[in-house]
Amino acid sequence: MPLHRRVQAVAVSAALLATGCFSATSAAAEPEQPATAVDCVQPGPTLRYLVVFTPGTSAPLADAQIAAACGTTAHYYPEIAVAVAVSPDPRFGRRIGPDRAYSAQADGLSRRNGAPARQTKKDDEVTGARAAGGTADRTAEQWDMDLIRAAEAHAISKGSRDVVVGVLDSGIDPTHPDLVGALDPALSAGCTTGVADPSPAAWAPTTSGHGTHVAGTIAAADDGMGTTGVAPGVRIASVKVVDDAGFIYPEYAVCGFMWAAERGMTITNNSYFIDPWVFTCQDEQGQSVVYEAVRRAVEHASGRGVLTVAATGNAAADLTKPGRDAMSPTNAAPEDVKPRPVDNTCLVLPAQLRNVVAVSSVGADKVKAGYSSYGLGAVDVTAPGGDRRQSPDDGQGGCVLSTVPAAGYDYSCGTSMAAPHVSGVAALLASAHPGASALDLSKMLNARAERLPCPADYDLNGTGVQDAFCTGHSEYNGFYGHGLVDALAAVRD
């Protein structure tokens, strides 16, 4: 509602304050005094905020607090007491309390002129250059499926239509011949405003084929044409959490997790980290709001039976001791990005959250890809994401072939490509064990993985210096977690 019409809402909030009903999540930062109607200003730009409340806060009380701070509630998730709010008043965050409200958009405004600093996000994917359409059978090029024994698994099970994998990504092409049979439009939604929109235009891809590529790895049809996914018999849903500039802001991810939980999905695939922080620090102002909101959303989804699978990222970092972040905020002007020290309280979200299956990447030789992040205790399992240094004997460059929009196929390398292999294997497990909880599926993924010991020599470029250090043992280590996921083992009794 327009700010000049908020007098009644502000009065309600003032009454709540007078009765002591205003609650905060922490006393670490005192919010400013509540606004009055004449205090609200509209200098713009209108920014979007995540706001966390004390668990159990009712929608009317949350709305009143947001209105009192000169904001409008776009959506409130009472199950996790998190709101998406908008406000043109630059004092909104301070009024709510900086330990309770955060705007990723604000971090994307240039400190020099206040304008949006980046029109597009810098892409960290290692992409291929080969694109092709047509109806030819391309499965001989899918070395990645051979690595996890997907074809052998399909002789036993291709998965059940009762299983739904939510692809939280840039959208899925609903017309791709390899995906049209698997995609469930009724379960799909766009989340790039922080509020779920089920209209097809909201969840279809626009500027990126990333989500379509991920979707094909999970569930491309086994029809003798194009490629075949790990679990071609299951359904997928397009949950668009990547905006047209390539950013995945925390309110998008929260919306995606809540939509998946509400719609009863079995698994979500998350081939991304949440912007604008490569490492989100739990104890830093603003970032603590992101951490808490996303944590609550993931735990809510897990409690509703949704298994969350996520990529560890392509920074080649030891996630247990990252040391330094020179890329954040990812949406800021280059001159506003200052390298900062980060420790193990700073996490890649959502991969390093509790109840998330974190996935590293290997190449065709079953060796950790050079770009893949890792860390003992940070990686649960590994899967093929491709590596140009580990090219299979097919002349295709070592990346993963999958579907892209306009009925095409392309190669990409990255942990983004590894994660959907895990989601596909988890979907096969869920098909074979329909009563399994998210925790049950996670345990089965771990138990049935192929054990991979630490490599004796991890000198990828031949300089005589180790490129990363693997710690742990053959059963569980920092490069591969519990090992390489195995589709055949997933469907065997």
Side-chain angles (χ1 to χ4, degrees), residues 320-347:
T320 65
K321 44 185 177 181
R324 185 170 177 268
D325 177 9
M327 295 174 60
S328 303
T330 56
N331 60 352
E335 63 270 19
D336 293 337
V337 177
K338 307 298 182 186
R340 60 181 183 138
V342 289
D343 59 24
N344 60 8
T345 66
C346 301
L347 309 178

Side-chain angles (χ1 to χ4, degrees), residues 385-398:
D387 189 342
R388 295 183 186 281
R389 294 189 181 100
Q390 302 176 54
S391 182
D393 297 328
D394 59 5
Q396 303 302 332

Side-chain angles (χ1 to χ4, degrees), residues 90-448:
R91 296 169 295 178
F92 174 79
R94 295 196 302 273
R95 283 175 166 149
I96 288 287
D99 61 331
R100 302 173 62 208
Y102 173 73
S103 173
Q105 288 180 315
D107 276 322
L109 299 179
S110 170
R111 296 175 190 171
R112 185 170 49 197
N113 58 21
R118 290 185 185 270
Q119 299 303 311
T120 58
K121 179 182 174 182
K122 182 180 178 182
D123 190 2
D124 68 344
E125 287 300 318
V126 186
T127 58
R130 301 169 185 260
T135 59
D137 185 352
R138 307 289 295 274
T139 54
E141 301 169 54
Q142 292 187 276
W143 61 267
D144 51 310
M145 297 298 168
D146 295 338
L147 214 64
I148 65 169
R149 303 197 291 179
E152 294 97 318
H154 296 163
I156 300 171
S157 172
K158 296 180 182 180
S160 166
R161 294 284 294 176
D162 292 334
V163 172
V164 179
V165 181
V167 181
L168 275 60
D169 214 291
S170 64
I172 300 173
D173 180 2
T175 67
H176 198 292
D178 264 353
L179 300 175
V180 66
L183 180 62
D184 191 333
L187 296 178
S188 299
C191 277
T192 56
T193 64
V195 182
D197 180 352
S199 65
W203 53 258
T206 46
T207 60
S208 171
H210 191 276
T212 302
H213 196 283
V214 165
T217 296
I218 297 169
D222 186 9
D223 57 3
M225 297 182 290
T227 58
T228 300
V230 180
V234 306
R235 287 180 292 157
I236 54 176
S238 176
V239 185
K240 189 173 181 179
V241 298
V242 183
D243 66 24
D244 285 351
F247 293 106
I248 304 98
Y249 287 150
E251 60 268 29
Y252 306 170
V254 168
C255 170
F257 291 127
M258 298 303 289
W259 176 264
E262 180 184 336
R263 291 300 185 273
M265 295 182 195
T266 316
I267 299 154
T268 62
N269 185 87
N270 304 269
S271 290
Y272 59 85
F273 68 85
I274 292 175
D275 293 297
W277 304 96
V278 177
F279 295 93
T280 300
C281 298
Q282 301 172 54
D283 301 325
E284 292 290 329
Q285 186 170 295
Q287 295 171 60
S288 63
V289 176
V290 175
Y291 169 79
E292 180 62 14
V294 176
R295 182 196 67 79
R296 290 184 190 183
V298 169
E299 292 207 353
H300 174 73
S302 179
R304 294 288 294 268
V306 184
L307 177 69
T308 304
V309 176
T312 57
N314 301 333
D318 183 343
L319 301 182
T320 65
K321 44 185 177 181
R324 185 170 177 268
D325 177 9
M327 295 174 60
S328 303
T330 56
N331 60 352
E335 63 270 19
D336 293 337
V337 177
K338 307 298 182 186
R340 60 181 183 138
V342 289
D343 59 24
N344 60 8
T345 66
C346 301
L347 309 178
V348 173
L349 300 182
Q352 287 186 269
L353 289 173
R354 185 172 172 267
N355 295 321
V356 174
V357 176
V359 183
S360 67
S361 174
V362 296
D365 297 334
K366 298 184 182 180
V367 175
K368 185 187 85 69
Y371 56 78
S372 178
S373 291
Y374 60 98
L376 185 63
V379 175
D380 292 294
V381 289
T382 195
D387 189 342
R388 295 183 186 281
R389 294 189 181 100
Q390 302 176 54
S391 182
D393 297 328
D394 59 5
Q396 303 302 332
C399 288
V400 173
L401 179 67
S402 189
T403 50
V404 292
Y409 301 88
D410 205 353
Y411 294 89
S412 284
C413 286
T415 54
S416 284
M417 285 64 249
H421 289 85
V422 177
S423 294
V425 172
L428 293 176
L429 282 166
S431 300
H433 304 274
S437 67
L439 180 60
D440 292 336
L441 292 176
S442 178
K443 288 180 177 179
M444 285 189 280
L445 274 173
N446 296 341
R448 302 186 186 201

